[in-house]
Structure formats: structure tokens, C-alpha cells
Amino acid sequence: MDYGHLMNPRTARLVPVFCLAALVLAALPAWAETVRATAVLDGETLRLDDGRELRLSGIDAPRPPAGADPARRWPLADGAVALLTELTAGQPLTLAVEVAEDRYGRVLAQVTRGDGVWIQGEMLRRGLARVQTRPDAHARAPEMLAVEADARAARRGLWRTRVYGVRRAADTARLLRDRDSFQVIEGTVVATAKVKDLTYLNFGDNWRDDTTVTLTRAAAKACEKAGLDPLALTGQTVRVRGWVTERNGPMIDVTHPEQIERISAPTEIVAEGE
């Protein structure tokens, strides 16, 4: 059963797979701070001992949307909460803050436990989160994408489900059914175009119906600076992550380069019923 269409919008390059031990030992910025969690609010949000709410920067964990029936079980949400509780309960947590306060008053940070365990890395490694970066919060994105890729290849956690698994860009009917949700899609770019201040990546011959990715001038320049020229992606297979809207078919707005990965082969899609 698909749940993606019930999800609520939330403001938000393939690299070699690194050894997890190396990831958790990566140096933290000098301005990091240490706190403890007093409660786990959902699979990606903590309440801290100083009263702030913390969102784990760069990841998207399974959780019910706002207003969902509390009596209804949401796929893998309980597992994400249980894992985050296991990882953080009673532990000193070092925060590398990326955003001091988002629109909901939460701090966004990369989090490392006192013994060196990287919380985002563990959530991704066990398949209970996907990478979801923002233009102002994308630290450690290459490492997170590498850990996610390993979990996806092993089909751990959410990667065993159609609810959170990779979607085909060509499956426009399903993408439209799940519009207004965060999705990871894959497909071959059929054509690219620049019209005024927007760059378009088209995944079909008919832009009025097929899946399209758009980039503003600023986003396109950021991608070029990162070594990813959007207009040079024609004929290449890519993985794109972002919020699906409906504008002449399914559309994802790309705001920063970490949303696009060039890949050599499409991911095996989870079969119906899994």
C-alpha cells in the first residue's frame, strides 16, 4: 500500500562508499557544543536539556504527517523512534550546528555521540532514514549519500518498501499520486533546456506530461561550481531527490547540487507488495 500521497511538505554525485569507522571519527568544527537529549519527538527530532528542539540535519526519517490519526501505525516510524532513542538516551551529544533556528524554531545540526558514533550515519546505515539536505544545511552530504547507498544496496529498513524506495521518473502516474511528498527518483535525462532564468531537465519526450526537474539560475550556478553542469546531463542517468509537485506532470525543484547524483545504472525497484 502506498502512503506517500499522505505525506506533508516540510521545508527542507555518487561517491565511493567510505568505511563507517572513518566517518564517525571525522573532525568536528571548533564551534561544536555538547548537550543531552531529554526526549525523542520523532525519528529525526530531539528535545534537548537546554529546552531547544533539535532536528537531525540532512536526513529524513519515516514519521507520520501533521494531523495524522494517532491510532494509525505509520510505516517504520516506530522503528526510527526506537533507534534514535537507543542511540541518544543518556548520552552526551556533540552538535555541529548548521542552522541555529529554522522556521519551526528548531536547531539543525550534525550530531556525534560522546563515544564517536555519528547519529545521522547510524540512522542511514540501518535504513531508517534517507538523505534530505537543504541549501543552508548540507554538511557531510557526500558521506551521508555513501552510507545511504550502502543501506539501499543491502535493502535495509525503508529500502525494502515501496513507500520510501526509489521511484522511476517514468512512473508519472504514481509520482502524481504521491505529489507533495519527498521522493527519490531515477531516470535518464532525455533533454535539457534553459528558458529565461530556469533550467529544465526533462525525463520524457513530452514536457507537458513527463517528469521534469527545474533549477533556478542560482541553483544551476551552484551545480556548475560543484562540477555538475545541468545542461550537460542529456542522455545521462541521474538520481534526484526532492519534493514532488504537479506542474505539467510531476516536477521537482532542485535548489542545491546535493539533490542530483549521476549514476551508472538504475536501482532495482522494490516490487509491489514488498
Side-chain angles (χ1 to χ4, degrees):
M1 181 176 184
D2 285 340
Y3 297 86
H5 66 291
L6 297 173
M7 297 181 188
N8 213 29
R10 303 192 301 275
T11 298
R13 309 171 291 251
L14 263 185
V15 297
V17 175
F18 298 97
C19 172
L20 186 60
L23 299 182
V24 301
L25 293 176
L28 289 168
W31 38 269
E33 56 178 298
T34 300
V35 297
R36 290 180 185 267
T38 59
V40 174
L41 304 182
D42 58 44
E44 62 193 44
T45 312
L46 300 169
R47 178 169 290 117
L48 304 179
D49 55 1
D50 60 10
R52 290 178 297 171
E53 286 189 11
L54 165 73
R55 183 184 184 277
L56 298 178
S57 185
I59 66 170
D60 170 66
R63 62 190 180 100
D69 182 353
R72 180 184 179 188
R73 297 191 65 185
W74 197 258
L76 297 177
D78 291 344
V81 169
L83 176 56
L84 187 54
T85 302
E86 172 193 330
L87 292 171
T88 61
Q91 297 288 332
L93 304 172
T94 300
L95 311 184
V97 176
E98 295 191 72
V99 176
E101 186 173 310
D102 69 3
R103 62 184 295 185
Y104 302 108
R106 306 170 301 187
V107 59
L108 273 61
Q110 291 290 328
V111 183
T112 304
R113 210 164 64 184
D115 58 2
V117 172
W118 178 29
I119 303 302
Q120 275 93 333
E122 278 298 295
M123 296 294 293
L124 291 165
R125 185 180 70 84
R126 300 201 202 182
L128 285 172
R130 300 175 293 182
V131 175
Q132 183 189 1
T133 55
R134 299 175 15 154
D136 58 353
H138 53 88
R140 306 189 74 168
E143 298 164 87
M144 291 191 294
L145 289 168
V147 178
E148 180 196 90
D150 181 63
R152 187 170 56 247
R155 297 184 71 171
R156 299 189 195 109
L158 57 80
W159 300 113
R160 294 195 302 268
T161 75
R162 281 177 58 85
V163 177
Y164 299 105
V166 175
R167 309 291 181 90
R168 287 279 179 258
D171 192 354
T172 55
R174 186 162 179 244
L175 285 173
L176 287 176
R177 187 170 66 246
D178 294 340
R179 63 187 177 276
D180 297 330
S181 68
F182 178 81
Q183 300 294 341
V184 180
I185 71 167
E186 290 182 0
T188 299
V189 179
V190 173
T192 63
K194 184 175 181 180
V195 181
K196 296 183 179 179
D197 290 336
L198 289 177
T199 297
Y200 295 89
L201 310 182
N202 297 313
F203 289 83
D205 295 322
N206 185 354
W207 60 269
R208 297 182 186 278
D209 299 306
D210 292 316
T211 299
T212 304
V213 166
T214 65
L215 301 91
T216 63
R217 177 184 295 179
K221 285 185 176 180
C223 287
E224 291 171 9
K225 186 176 180 179
L228 183 73
D229 181 359
L231 292 174
L233 291 176
T234 302
Q236 296 195 40
T237 302
V238 299
R239 181 181 302 125
V240 181
R241 61 191 69 225
W243 289 94
V244 177
T245 59
E246 182 177 5
R247 278 175 282 166
N248 293 320
M251 181 172 286
I252 291 179
D253 293 322
V254 165
T255 59
H256 56 293
E258 289 80 6
Q259 288 179 259
I260 303 177
E261 300 169 82
R262 285 174 290 206
I263 59 177
S264 57
T267 300
E268 180 182 352
I269 300 300
V270 176
E272 188 74 55
E274 291 190 78

